[in-house]
Amino acid sequence: MQIINQMKLEFLSIPENEGFARVAVSAFAVQLDPTLDMLADIKTAVSEAVTNAIVHGYAENMGVVSISASLFENGLLSVSVADRGRGIDDIPQAMQPFFTTQPEKERSGMGFSVMQTFMDRVTVESVPGEGTTVRMEKKLKEA
């Protein structure tokens, strides 16, 4: 697969930047002429990944969230959201619907489920104490 365009962003892990991230990635994806529903899916999935980095990766600490995205000639969008925060001890458990590490804050535990619903592929790599990278893919058009 040949990359036709790519971008990278870094921003502080403050809640106000979640909206910035979702709009930036969806604006980048527009180059492949996706439907409005596809753009809404991308925005939702990016929001969940960025929120997880801010809320769970960094918790009460300040850090940097990194996003990279690539567009491929076959119509595929690939997005990675990474933090250098706490990491995830048990990825399969964290990806279970309704699992949350912060039930006292009324978190639904549906972040990964939402990402999986709206994107075609979601993978997670994490090292406790070093951070997490969520990679998501969505086919936006046929080649």
Side-chain angles (χ1 to χ4, degrees), residues 31 33 44 55 58 72 88 90 94 99 112-113 118 121-122:
Q31 297 170 60
D33 196 29
T44 301
V55 171
Y58 292 114
F72 294 87
I88 300 171
D90 186 339
F99 175 79
F112 285 122
S113 294
F118 291 111
R121 183 170 184 229
V122 176

Side-chain angles (χ1 to χ4, degrees), residues 21-132:
R22 65 186 273 139
V23 169
V25 174
S26 65
F28 179 73
V30 165
Q31 297 170 60
L32 289 178
D33 196 29
T35 66
L36 290 176
D37 287 341
M38 289 175 175
L39 286 176
D41 292 352
I42 293 163
K43 287 178 181 179
T44 301
V46 168
S47 290
E48 292 295 332
V50 170
T51 297
N52 277 358
I54 293 169
V55 171
H56 300 290
Y58 292 114
E60 305 300 321
N61 300 313
M62 182 69 66
V64 173
V65 177
S66 302
I67 296 181
S68 61
S70 299
L71 300 174
F72 294 87
E73 65 183 355
N74 68 347
L76 184 73
L77 167 70
S78 175
V79 180
S80 293
V81 178
D83 66 68
R84 292 179 287 281
R86 297 178 356 189
I88 300 171
D89 292 321
D90 186 339
I91 294 170
Q93 180 185 38
M95 293 183 78
Q96 290 298 312
F98 305 111
F99 175 79
T100 181
T101 59
Q102 298 180 345
E104 72 283 359
K105 294 187 178 179
E106 297 183 19
R107 299 283 175 198
S108 70
M110 295 299 292
F112 285 122
S113 294
V114 169
M115 288 179 238
Q116 290 171 321
T117 298
F118 291 111
M119 300 297 276
D120 297 328
R121 183 170 184 229
V122 176
T123 59
V124 180
E125 296 175 8
S126 189
V127 176
E130 294 183 22
T132 301

